[in-house]
Amino acid sequence: MPRVRAVRRRTWLVVAGVAVLALAATGTGIAVSQSQGRDERIAANRDQLDRACAGLLPEELSSFVPDDSEGVLDEYGTLLTSRQQSRALLDCTLSWGGDAGGLEPDAQVRVRAEAVLGKAQAPAGDFELPLPSGTLGGTGSSEDRLDGSQVSATLLTECPKGLSGRVRPSKDLLVSVDLPSHADSEYDIPKSDRLLASRTAVRVADWVSREQGCGTEPLADAEKPRSADALCDWLSPKPLKFARGTWRFDENDTAYSERAGACGGQWDDAAGWADDLKVKAAGAESWSGVLAAGAYERFSGSGHVPGTEQSRHERGPEGQLTFGMPGDDPLLALWARSVCDGGPTFHRVTVTPALDFRHQDEVVVDKKEWRRIPADARAVLDRYLAADDGWPRRSHCRDTQIMGEVEQWQG
């Protein structure tokens, strides 16, 4: 009997050992299979990245490619063969990851190139690459994401020979790019990410221009423009009879663009109060071509164009205006229009009078004092239009007409 038990025990150990080896082999097989699956997904996602958006996406985005999910690609456009047609020349979105609720993907790329029909807004922010005078660019960051960050770049460039396949003829191309960033928030986007977005936008614009036969030199070959400090030399306190002392000119253009120009200066508050301080800020902006209509529409939406109800404010019985602290300093805008190299153009100059709140909570400006403000605005406009190195002269503006004033302030 003991011998039978020993035999049974040995048999059980053998069976158990075989089972353990089988389980181990199965586990190893599963692990190998899972590893192979991850490798295949990564390879497929990277191949998708290489092919997506006409192959225009930067390889640096491979750091966002996940190993646990497949990329989702949607791309359309009249320049993509065998694709669903769209009004855009290129419209492409590539996403990775995301929760089941579909609120937002873990990372997303968006590229769009389209012909501008009628109006556009000037790109905001500094572009990280040199651009020719017929092109404007800007970079920024997205505030729409719940988690992570995103960097954007926008380019408005020209296509002299026209963009084909549009409902109406267009010689203006708008490119927008959104790329994921490893920054913790939209406030921490590094310069390297902005540079990557700028390079991608240039690459897309050059591809579309080449495919469309625009007849322009590649933006990638653009050289750093010559310094254009003289563009805003006309905005000088002394000849304009503004207060002498320290002024800051933070809004001045650093390079000439035939599409738009901007100059601005303000009294340096750190310098204290000057006895002859009558104007504390002044500036001028111009927008040509498709930017002109976009700029006018933007100001019109808030009622800040000549002829609207908000362009004039109610005065007291003697024609006086009362301003209280804080934040309702008056700003008078004077609008004009011209024809310039870039096409129909709007000019807008602004003057902000200095109000002395040092010993009072409100300032009353009577009718006689207010007459000085439009005179200051007209002096700024006349000097702006006449300056040899200023934007209007460089853009060969002509047939200028005064459109009217806008009294623009809070309250």
Side-chain angles (χ1 to χ4, degrees):
M1 196 67 167
R3 182 170 183 172
V4 173
R5 289 199 185 104
V7 171
R8 289 178 177 173
R9 185 167 177 269
R10 284 196 301 270
T11 303
W12 180 87
L13 289 174
V14 171
V15 172
V18 171
V20 169
L21 290 174
L23 288 173
T26 302
T28 301
I30 292 173
V32 170
S33 176
Q34 290 176 339
S35 178
Q36 289 176 342
R38 284 194 298 269
D39 292 343
E40 290 174 359
R41 274 193 298 271
I42 291 178
N45 283 347
R46 288 182 176 174
D47 180 63
Q48 183 184 55
L49 175 64
D50 292 339
R51 294 181 292 100
C53 306
L56 299 170
L57 299 182
E59 62 181 20
E60 288 89 338
L61 295 179
S62 60
S63 62
F64 293 95
V65 172
D67 62 0
D68 58 352
S69 61
E70 297 179 355
V72 178
L73 175 63
D74 293 306
E75 55 181 3
Y76 314 98
T78 57
L79 291 182
L80 292 172
T81 58
S82 303
R83 303 292 186 190
Q84 180 178 337
Q85 298 295 294
S86 77
R87 295 178 62 184
L89 298 164
L90 174 63
D91 191 349
C92 174
T93 303
L94 179 57
S95 305
W96 298 292
D99 54 31
L103 292 178
E104 66 178 18
D106 294 334
Q108 185 177 73
V109 180
R110 175 76 190 276
V111 175
R112 185 175 175 86
E114 58 191 313
V116 179
L117 301 178
K119 58 191 173 186
Q121 290 193 11
D126 295 331
F127 202 73
E128 300 297 334
L129 295 172
L131 296 171
S133 62
T135 301
L136 282 178
T139 60
S141 56
S142 174
E143 300 178 359
D144 298 331
R145 288 190 61 84
L146 299 175
D147 187 29
S149 57
Q150 202 161 35
V151 61
S152 63
T154 306
L155 269 180
L156 178 63
T157 190
E158 56 191 349
C159 184
K161 294 185 178 181
L163 296 163
S164 62
R166 304 296 88 202
V167 177
R168 299 196 305 272
S170 175
K171 295 184 178 182
D172 296 285
L173 172 66
L174 182 64
V175 172
S176 57
V177 172
D178 293 307
L179 303 180
S181 170
H182 289 295
D184 292 333
S185 72
E186 67 268 19
Y187 306 106
D188 302 320
I189 303 294
K191 182 180 178 66
S192 58
D193 284 1
R194 295 181 186 273
L195 179 59
L196 182 63
S198 298
R199 285 175 175 163
T200 305
V202 164
R203 190 178 183 186
V204 171
D206 284 345
W207 177 77
V208 172
S209 297
R210 185 172 61 253
E211 293 289 317
Q212 288 281 285
C214 288
T216 53
E217 293 296 322
L219 298 180
D221 296 339
E223 298 180 358
K224 185 176 181 179
R226 183 172 56 87
S227 176
D229 294 339
L231 269 171
C232 298
D233 283 356
W234 63 269
L235 185 56
S236 176
K238 185 176 181 179
L240 287 168
K241 298 181 181 180
F242 294 164
R244 291 171 292 177
T246 304
W247 281 69
R248 293 186 290 108
F249 299 97
D250 301 330
E251 302 175 15
N252 290 350
D253 281 341
T254 57
Y256 169 74
S257 167
E258 67 183 34
R259 291 183 176 272
C263 298
Q266 60 184 357
W267 171 260
D268 189 351
D269 295 336
W273 188 269
D275 292 336
D276 59 344
L277 183 61
K278 299 294 189 293
V279 172
K280 72 174 187 179
E285 294 178 278
S286 295
W287 307 272
S288 274
V290 293
L291 294 183
Y296 194 81
E297 182 181 77
R298 176 163 54 90
F299 283 98
S300 177
S302 56
H304 291 151
V305 294
T308 60
E309 294 181 1
Q310 290 91 338
S311 65
R312 292 284 178 183
H313 288 74
E314 293 186 7
R315 288 169 165 75
E318 302 298 326
Q320 73 271 19
L321 289 164
T322 302
F323 300 94
M325 292 182 66
D328 62 347
D329 287 343
L331 181 151
L332 183 72
L334 178 60
W335 285 74
R337 60 187 173 196
S338 304
V339 177
C340 308
D341 287 347
T345 301
F346 286 118
H347 310 286
R348 176 179 178 266
V349 301
T350 58
V351 169
T352 302
L355 303 179
D356 187 0
F357 287 104
R358 289 177 298 172
H359 308 296
Q360 52 193 338
D361 293 333
E362 65 179 27
V363 172
V364 178
V365 180
D366 63 28
K367 190 174 182 179
K368 182 179 179 181
E369 289 177 303
W370 183 255
R371 290 195 187 115
R372 176 181 53 80
I373 310 303
D376 287 335
R378 184 57 190 264
V380 172
L381 177 63
D382 290 344
R383 187 168 174 80
Y384 178 52
L385 294 174
D388 288 337
D389 292 325
W391 190 90
R393 282 289 183 93
R394 291 196 186 193
S395 299
H396 303 101
C397 295
R398 56 204 178 274
D399 301 331
T400 300
Q401 299 177 348
I402 305 299
M403 299 173 61
E405 302 169 355
V406 179
E407 297 170 355
Q408 184 177 328
W409 59 85
Q410 300 175 3

